[in-house]
Amino acid sequence: MRTSCRRRDHPHDFKVIGTWGNLESWQSLEKPFWAESLPEATGGALTAEAIPITEAGLKGTEVMRLVKQGVFEVAHGLGSYVASENPAIEGVDLSSIAPDFATMHAIADAYKPEMDRIFQETYGARILSLHPWPASMIYCRGPVSGISDLAGKKIRVHSATLGDFVEGAGGVTVTLPFAEVVPALEKGVADCAITDPVSAYKASWQEVVDYVFALPVGYSITFTAINNSVWDKLDEESRTALSDALAEMEAKGWQQAEANQAIGVACLTGEGECPWGEPGKAALTTPSSEDEAARQKILSEFVLKRWGERCGADCADTWNATAGKAAGLSVPKP
């Protein structure tokens, strides 16, 4: 890591809100960054009081409002959780736009300037980094041999765009906080749920699901955003040090998400080594070429079309010229 900002001429202790304390992004990226990486890189000039939303008792939908109000100076959060305030934010991680991490990385890079513009206008904050989680997949009680088996099932989603995918597959969307998914599956409130395999394992979903359908349907792109007034008060050396350090965290995030994806699946199913504890026994369903074709059909006829209607013509044009170009996709005009 670069060792800039060694002097203590302009120290700053950031007030930071992170993602879920029991999940991987906080544990392996956000917490170590503020507790170790940034202070070490700046000789103690830049430090932080950083807590996850679970410790703060907050919802993912609340974090950017609190940054706008100055309650927190920096936030890590999922774009899908704040997209209700501006549907254009969803554009960085529309369901099924990327079949792999390389494509998703290109999309995120292409859409990052637009994300920054939206955050500036909506929250008075700027985007400093974007990183993914392992690919979101589908976990069910009862057998799932492919997309066709999702028809009629009640499926928990955490974003509007995942809801579009589920409805395109003939399922019924259920919206629940992450902490309520396990009891919902136990009680039959939901038949299936969507998240990444690492989060599913760490939240003990393997105790209530029977099948892992390993079809990537999203990447839970996570932003790091800083309040503009805080950014403007930082000296140039501090801004550079913070930006450089976050660029390293971002790169680690992309590498880690891809590496951990297979480990998460192994931990849920027992098919492979699980370094995090006792593996589950869920059956693994690997998507077929027919499933991948069906996913693309749902993407075209439901996901892109519905998002374009939510976002509007100008928004769709911007997406097509940035993220869409990187993905080789186009949102139809509403």
Side-chain angles (χ1 to χ4, degrees), residues 95-97 138 145-151 164-170 213 215-217 287-304:
S95 178
S96 307
I97 55 174
I138 304 168
S145 60
I147 282 183
S148 60
D149 289 340
L150 300 178
D164 294 336
F165 174 85
V166 165
E167 290 173 13
F213 183 29
L215 180 76
V217 292
S288 65
S289 57
E290 289 81 7
D291 289 321
E292 291 171 356
R295 179 185 59 192
Q296 294 308 107
K297 189 171 188 289
I298 294 168
L299 169 63
S300 175
E301 296 180 3
F302 287 84
V303 175
L304 294 177

Side-chain angles (χ1 to χ4, degrees), residues 75 97 119 141 151 162 217 246 251 269:
I97 55 174
F119 271 58
R141 302 195 76 174
L162 286 173
V217 292
L246 279 168
T269 63

Side-chain angles (χ1 to χ4, degrees), residues 263-318:
I263 298 172
V265 172
C267 285
L268 291 166
T269 63
E271 296 193 18
E273 295 295 319
C274 180
W276 298 317
E278 187 72 23
K281 297 178 181 178
L284 176 63
T285 297
T286 302
S288 65
S289 57
E290 289 81 7
D291 289 321
E292 291 171 356
R295 179 185 59 192
Q296 294 308 107
K297 189 171 188 289
I298 294 168
L299 169 63
S300 175
E301 296 180 3
F302 287 84
V303 175
L304 294 177
K305 182 175 181 292
R306 287 186 175 184
W307 181 71
E309 291 169 353
R310 287 197 294 275
C311 209
D314 290 346
C315 173
D317 285 342
T318 299

Side-chain angles (χ1 to χ4, degrees), residues 210-242:
D210 306 312
Y211 280 78
V212 175
F213 183 29
L215 180 76
V217 292
Y219 289 86
S220 297
I221 299 298
T222 297
F223 59 79
T224 305
I226 186 169
N227 179 287
N228 273 338
S229 64
V230 174
W231 177 261
D232 291 342
K233 290 175 185 174
L234 294 175
D235 65 283
E236 193 60 36
E237 189 179 15
S238 295
R239 291 182 196 172
T240 300
L242 178 61

